[in-house]
Amino acid sequence: MTRPTRDQLEAARDRAIPEVIAPGLDVVFCGINPSLYSGATGHHFARPGNRFWPTLHRSGFTPRLLRPEEQHLLLDCGLGITNMVNRATARADELSDDELRAGAVRLAELARQYRPKIVAMVGITAYRTAFGNRRARTGPQPEHLADAGVWVLPNPSGLNANYQLDDLAAEFRALRESLGR
């Protein structure tokens, strides 16, 4: 994948990227929103240094390390990806609380339409705001979106210093194991 130029990154601001989704998946991972890098490439979690793809592999969700441009292969693994807010920004803190809450409503509609077993939010702070649960912790949540369970995972961004790669993989592995996979 060719690295986007500075101009291409700036041109990606507010761009939406396509979801990777199908009916009946085991897990739909839900990012906060696309980065400018993802907006420029059209691939989820595409920014170099983002640990989503290595975490998926280390946790056993994928048989090998996938690259962002191979995101379509997730469907073969019973997995999908969407975003709470499908608008590319340089930083997630550029999103308003209202956008995050509207994203929660959109996710409920998505869960009704596609019926995944689990919607896994990747980012606890955004989850807390979107769903009004300030005390939420990582792991399974008491609420459901349609019939889908809700699970919160740490943000795999390289900026999240609270979790190293092995810690992230352990959190993702707990979700995978809860599915009997």
Side-chain angles (χ1 to χ4, degrees):
M1 179 168 60
T2 305
R3 294 178 68 103
T5 66
R6 188 179 311 252
D7 288 343
Q8 289 170 324
L9 291 174
E10 193 51 44
R13 186 171 297 280
D14 298 325
R15 187 175 293 162
I17 63 174
E19 294 172 322
V20 177
I21 197 161
L25 297 172
D26 288 337
V27 180
V28 172
F29 292 98
C30 179
I32 300 166
N33 74 306
S35 67
L36 294 180
Y37 205 101
S38 287
T41 64
H43 304 301
H44 294 267
F45 300 102
R47 185 174 185 79
N50 191 296
R51 300 170 295 175
F52 178 79
W53 299 101
T55 298
L56 271 189
H57 177 60
R58 282 195 185 194
S59 65
F61 271 114
T62 61
R64 66 174 178 84
L65 177 60
L66 299 176
R67 296 181 314 275
E69 60 271 21
E70 296 179 303
Q71 64 188 15
H72 63 282
L73 297 176
L74 288 176
L75 297 174
D76 296 336
C77 300
L79 308 171
I81 305 178
T82 189
N83 287 292
M84 192 169 300
V85 177
N86 198 1
R87 178 173 77 82
T89 61
R91 296 179 323 278
D93 65 6
E94 294 177 38
L95 303 174
S96 71
D97 290 358
D98 286 342
E99 284 180 288
L100 292 172
R101 286 189 288 272
V105 172
R106 190 182 75 75
L107 288 176
E109 292 168 6
L110 181 140
R112 273 191 289 285
Q113 180 180 356
Y114 290 100
R115 304 250 179 239
K117 290 179 186 169
I118 299 286
V119 174
M121 309 294 174
V122 182
I124 187 125
T125 303
Y127 171 80
R128 287 174 177 158
T129 300
F131 288 87
N133 184 348
R134 297 277 179 210
R135 296 176 189 229
R137 303 250 187 254
T138 58
Q141 303 302 306
E143 68 265 349
H144 284 72
L145 293 175
D147 294 331
V150 176
W151 198 287
V152 176
L153 295 164
N155 190 330
S157 166
L159 300 175
N160 184 357
N162 294 323
Y163 286 87
Q164 298 305 311
L165 187 54
D166 288 339
D167 302 320
L168 288 168
E171 294 277 347
F172 277 61
R173 187 177 307 108
L175 167 57
R176 182 183 57 77
E177 290 172 351
S178 78
L179 294 164
R181 291 178 55 161

